[in-house]
Amino acid sequence: MTEKTFTEAAREALSEAMDADPAIFVVGEGAGERGGNFETTAGLYEKHGPLRLCDTPICERGFIGMCTGAAMTGARPVVDFMFTDFILDGLGELINQTSKMQYMSNGRLKMPMVLRGCIGIGHSAATHHSGSYYPFFVHIPGFRVALPSNPADAKGLLATALRSEDPVFFMEHRHLLNLKGPVPDGEHRVPFGQAAVVREGTDATVVALTVMVHHAFQVAEELSGEGISLEIIDPRTVAPLDADTILASVRKTGRLLIVDETFMPCGIGAEISARVTEHGFDELDAPIKRLNGSHVPTPYSPSLEQAVVPDRASIEEAVRELLAE
Amino acid sequence: MSADSGDRFERHRWLYRTMFTIRTVEERLARSFMAGLIHGACHTYVGEEAVAAGVCAGLTDDDAVFSTHRGHGHALAKGVSPDALIAELYGRETGISHGRGGSMHLFAPEIGLMGTSGIVGPCILQAAGAGYSARLLGNGSVGVAFFGDGAVGNGAFHEGLNLAAIYDLPVLFVCENNLYATEVPFSHASKNPDVASRAANYGIPGIGVDGNDVLAVHEAAIEALRRARAGEGPTLIEAKTYRTRPHAEGMGLTGVYRTEEEVAEWREKDPISRFRRRILSDETMTASDLDRIEADVRAEVEEAEKEAAASPWPDGGTADRHVYRETV
C-alpha cells in the first residue's frame, strides 16, 4: 500500500493498462501534452505520444461517435470529458449507438469504451460544470456505471473498466480528486457489482454514493457516541447494482436511508428503494428514506449552492428521523 | 486476353453482378413489403446501385463500412448474402442480425459491414473512428461512411470530417446526393448546392462524381483509397444520384417536390442499363454473358427468399442476450 490521491491512483491504473495494451488511447480536450485538465493523463503523453493521448476539438458528439467506431474496430478508447456536463452533447451517440452496438450486432461487436469525467457540486462552478447525471445511464441497457469514493477504488474500478468489453462510465467527484488514501501497489482490480460495507452497524443502513460516503461515515462516527450504530454501504457501481449486500444489511437493521447528491425523481435512491421493497418488505421497520440534492439547476453563489447539496447536518437529521419512525 | 483486359473483365463482371443483385433483391423486398412479410420500414436503394458497387469493389473484408437507413445496397456490395439480408427483414433467426436489427440495423463485422443505422449522421463519426483504429493499430484498413445529402446539414458531418482531417485518418466519406432528405429538397436544406466543395473547409480533397456511372464512382473511390492507405488522409466523394422508388415502401413515389417528369428523367439515366450499354460497346462481355448473370442472380434471389420465408423465428426467450459482453 502507498498513500496516493484519488487522481494519482486512477492515473496509475490508466498508465498500467496503457503499458499493457497498445489498443488503449485517450481522447479529450487537453488530454494530450497538457496532461488533462484534472491531471488525469499527466506524464502519459511523453511516454505514449499524440496518437494515444489525443487532444480533440470541442466536439463531444464528434469524438464520442469517433470513439464508438474505434471501439467497434479493435481499439479501446478512453473518452476524458473533463466535466460530465459536457457528455450531454453526445447523448444521442451514446444511447442510440454506443450502448446498442453489441445488441444490434447479435453480440458480434464489442464495445470496450471508458467514459470518464468529473462530477459534483461544490466549487461555485455553477450549473454547466456541476452535473452528475449518472442515473440517466443506469436506465439504459448496455452501460456500466462506476462511482469510486476513495483512491483505492478509483484505481481498482478504473483498472476493471479498462479491461471491460462493455462501455463503462467512470465518474470522479470533484471533491474527491485530491483525497488521499492507501492504494494497493501493482495490479488491483475492483469487480463491478460488489458493494463495500464501509462501516458495520445494527440500527440503520445508510447507502451513500461518492462523496456522500464520507459525509455519512463522519455522521456515523459522531452518532456512535450516542450509542447509535449505523451501517454504511458504498455500492461502488450502480450499474450493475449490488442489491444483495443492501438487502442483507436491511435484514439486519430494518431501516434504510439512501444519500445521493443527484436528483431524487427516478434516481438511484428510487431504484434501491423499489428493490428493497420488492425483495425485503417484511424486513423493514420503517419507511425507506431518501436524501438527495435539490431538484434544481445548480446555483452559483456559495450560500445557494450549499443549500442544494446534502451535508453532514442534513444526513444526521435524516438519520434521526428514520430512527424515530 | 492480356492481364489488364482479364482484370477489367473480372471487375466489370463483379460490378454488373453486384448492381444487378442489389436491384433484384430490392425489387423482391418491395413485393415482400406489399405482401406483409416485412415487419418494419423498408428503404430501397433502387437507382443508386452504382455508388455501393463502385466503392465496395475497392474494399477488402478488413475495411469497415458504416451505412445508413438506406443500406441494403451497401450490405450486399460488402458481401452479405441475399438470404441473410432477406431473412433479417423477415425477422428470422437466420437473418444477418438474427432478428435483432431489421432493415436499418444490418451487421456483418466479420466482412467489415459495421452496421446500417436508423439515425442520420453517426456513421460519419464511426467511420472516422475506424480510421483512428487503423492508424493506431497500423493494420492498413480504411473506414468508409455512406450517407445521404440529408446528413450534410447535420453536425456529425462537420465534426466527423474535421476529426478525420486533423488526424489524417484513412477514411472515405461517400455522400450519395439523391437530392431529397426523405422529401425535403437539398435546395431547401443548403444554400450551397455542392457537397464536394465543402471538403475545402476541412483541408481535404472533395470529388464530385456522376453517381449513376459505376466506373466513374469506382475510379474516384480507388484514388481516395490509395490516398487513405498511403497515409494521406480522408477524401470526400459526392456521388450525384437519385432514388427511383419512394423514400420508403408504402410511401408515394412523388410528392410535393418530386415530380413524375423528374423520376422519369432519372430512370432514363438508370445506372444498370447504362453500364450494360457500356460493357456491350466496350465488348468486355457479350449480351449473353450479361443475360446469364441476370438469370443466375434472379434464381439466387428467388431461392434466398424461399429460404428466408421458411426460416424459424428467433426464440423470444433469447431477447435479453447480447446487451452486455460480460456477465457480472
Side-chain angles (χ1 to χ4, degrees):
Chain A
M1 292 276 188
T2 307
E3 192 85 358
K4 291 191 173 74
T5 67
F6 184 103
T7 296
E8 287 165 351
R11 196 167 58 228
E12 189 169 271
L14 178 63
S15 180
E16 285 173 9
M18 289 189 78
D19 285 345
D21 188 347
I24 296 176
F25 70 105
V26 185
V27 306
E29 294 137 19
E33 198 170 0
R34 184 182 172 209
N37 190 60
F38 294 111
E39 300 183 351
T40 47
T41 54
L44 298 180
Y45 178 91
E46 290 71 14
K47 204 167 166 187
H48 299 295
L51 201 54
R52 298 189 68 194
L53 278 303
C54 172
D55 274 330
T56 63
I58 303 172
C59 60
E60 279 72 17
R61 181 189 176 191
F63 58 73
I64 292 169
M66 183 180 82
C67 287
T68 299
M72 292 163 76
T73 49
R76 302 184 69 94
V78 177
V79 182
D80 193 331
F81 288 107
M82 196 182 325
F83 288 94
T84 293
D85 307 74
F86 303 163
I87 289 182
L88 304 184
D89 268 14
L91 271 190
E93 299 306 320
L94 286 166
I95 293 175
N96 262 326
Q97 308 294 329
T98 315
S99 76
K100 295 177 180 172
M101 281 300 171
Q102 301 192 86
Y103 191 78
M104 293 190 295
S105 68
N106 202 51
R108 282 173 295 168
L109 287 171
K110 295 184 287 184
M111 191 47 67
M113 185 162 162
V114 176
L115 302 136
R116 71 183 298 187
C118 188
I119 60 173
I121 300 171
H123 287 74
S124 279
T127 198
H128 289 166
H129 296 76
S130 300
S132 294
Y133 302 113
Y134 44 78
F136 293 0
F137 303 111
V138 177
H139 184 68
I140 302 299
F143 288 131
R144 307 290 190 197
V145 181
L147 300 173
S149 70
N150 61 66
D153 285 352
K155 178 175 177 180
L157 288 169
L158 187 57
T160 301
L162 288 163
R163 284 146 184 102
S164 173
E165 307 287 19
D166 296 312
V168 181
F169 286 93
F170 178 84
M171 294 177 154
E172 304 154 271
H173 198 289
R174 198 164 163 194
H175 272 323
L176 299 175
L177 297 182
N178 293 318
L179 177 80
K180 281 193 169 178
V183 177
D185 298 315
E187 188 172 300
H188 169 58
R189 295 188 204 176
V190 173
F192 292 166
Q194 289 188 15
V197 179
V198 176
R199 186 184 191 281
E200 293 195 11
T202 52
D203 294 334
T205 301
V206 180
V207 175
L209 298 166
T210 75
V211 74
M212 294 299 150
V213 174
H214 301 273
H215 296 333
F217 187 84
Q218 283 166 11
V219 169
E221 291 293 304
E222 283 160 22
L223 292 181
S224 68
E226 298 178 26
I228 295 170
S229 167
L230 297 181
E231 180 142 304
I232 311 289
I233 294 178
D234 174 1
R236 302 200 285 191
T237 62
V238 283
L241 177 70
D242 178 5
D244 290 344
T245 296
I246 297 168
L247 277 160
S249 177
V250 170
R251 256 175 232 123
K252 184 168 64 172
T253 64
R255 290 172 200 273
L256 175 61
L257 167 68
I258 305 134
V259 187
D260 181 14
E261 183 180 308
T262 60
F263 305 131
M264 182 182 280
C266 300
I268 306 296
E271 178 61 25
I272 292 172
S273 175
R275 291 215 211 168
V276 170
T277 307
E278 282 164 355
H279 302 290
F281 185 75
D282 293 339
E283 316 290 343
L284 289 167
D285 298 325
I288 296 167
K289 201 163 181 59
R290 288 179 288 163
L291 180 64
N292 288 78
S294 305
H295 198 210
V296 297
T298 307
Y300 164 73
S301 170
S303 63
L304 294 171
E305 187 185 50
Q306 280 161 25
V308 302
V309 195
D311 58 9
R312 287 202 291 278
S314 60
I315 294 170
E316 183 183 329
E317 189 186 340
V319 167
R320 290 189 190 281
E321 284 171 9
L322 180 66
L323 292 172
E325 285 280 353
Chain B
M1 209 187 297
S2 74
D4 273 1
S5 66
D7 287 351
R8 199 164 66 134
F9 169 80
E10 275 308 314
R11 187 164 62 244
H12 286 194
R13 201 178 61 81
W14 190 92
L15 289 170
Y16 194 79
R17 189 184 166 95
T18 300
M19 290 165 71
F20 195 77
T21 300
I22 297 170
R23 176 70 54 92
T24 309
V25 168
E26 294 290 43
E27 288 180 343
R28 173 64 249 184
L29 290 171
R31 293 197 298 280
S32 298
F33 183 87
M34 292 306 288
L37 291 162
I38 294 171
H39 310 279
C42 178
H43 307 87
T44 70
Y45 194 65
V46 172
E48 305 184 16
E49 294 90 343
V51 188
V55 173
C56 292
L59 305 181
T60 73
D61 286 354
D62 294 326
D63 297 323
V65 162
F66 300 80
S67 161
T68 69
H69 57 287
R70 196 175 305 289
H72 307 162
H74 310 129
L76 291 164
K78 199 68 176 59
V80 171
S81 67
D83 56 325
L85 188 140
I86 297 171
E88 184 62 26
L89 272 84
Y90 282 18
R92 305 308 170 102
E93 176 60 30
T94 55
I96 192 73
S97 302
H98 297 254
R100 277 169 168 68
S103 167
M104 287 183 277
H105 310 285
L106 303 168
F107 286 84
E110 57 284 355
I111 55 169
L113 179 72
M114 311 311 283
T116 60
S117 175
I119 307 289
V120 169
C123 63
I124 299 174
L125 304 172
Q126 289 160 17
Y132 206 99
S133 279
R135 264 205 73 186
L136 182 75
L137 306 173
N139 58 20
S141 64
V142 172
V144 179
F146 289 101
F147 53 92
D149 50 281
V152 171
N154 188 283
F157 176 88
H158 170 63
E159 296 187 20
L161 266 67
N162 188 50
L163 287 164
I166 59 177
Y167 306 129
D168 290 320
L169 302 181
V171 184
L172 264 61
F173 297 106
V174 182
C175 177
E176 299 170 328
N177 184 353
N178 68 10
L179 305 175
Y180 296 90
T182 307
E183 295 195 3
V184 176
F186 191 51
S187 59
H188 290 211
S190 173
K191 197 81 171 170
N192 175 0
D194 190 67
V195 176
S197 67
R198 287 159 163 82
N201 301 346
Y202 308 101
I204 63 171
I207 313 293
V209 65
D210 179 346
N212 283 25
D213 178 346
V214 69
L215 295 179
V217 173
H218 184 60
E219 203 175 301
I222 290 295
E223 169 55 15
L225 287 164
R226 184 205 62 71
R227 288 192 72 246
R229 294 194 208 281
E232 294 171 24
T235 303
L236 171 64
I237 296 174
E238 177 189 13
K240 294 176 200 293
T241 185
Y242 198 81
R243 62 172 163 75
T244 49
R245 289 194 67 83
H247 166 70
E249 291 309 299
M251 292 175 70
L253 177 62
T254 59
V256 176
Y257 304 112
R258 278 176 34 129
T259 61
E260 300 279 357
E261 295 71 28
E262 187 180 88
V263 174
E265 216 173 279
W266 278 93
R267 281 194 174 135
E268 288 299 309
K269 302 182 205 167
D270 181 74
I272 298 178
S273 34
R274 187 166 159 187
F275 189 40
R276 187 183 171 98
R277 288 196 297 274
R278 171 72 187 268
I279 287 171
L280 295 177
S281 77
D282 284 4
E283 298 181 347
T284 41
M285 280 182 280
T286 64
S288 66
D289 290 337
L290 295 173
D291 292 346
R292 199 172 315 117
I293 290 173
E294 294 186 6
D296 284 353
V297 167
R298 282 199 193 94
E300 186 196 358
V301 172
E302 281 316 300
E303 185 56 31
E305 195 281 334
K306 283 199 191 78
E307 274 178 38
S311 291
W313 298 98
D315 174 2
T318 67
D320 62 355
R321 285 191 198 156
H322 304 305
V323 177
Y324 295 94
R325 185 78 170 195
E326 296 165 343
T327 51
V328 174

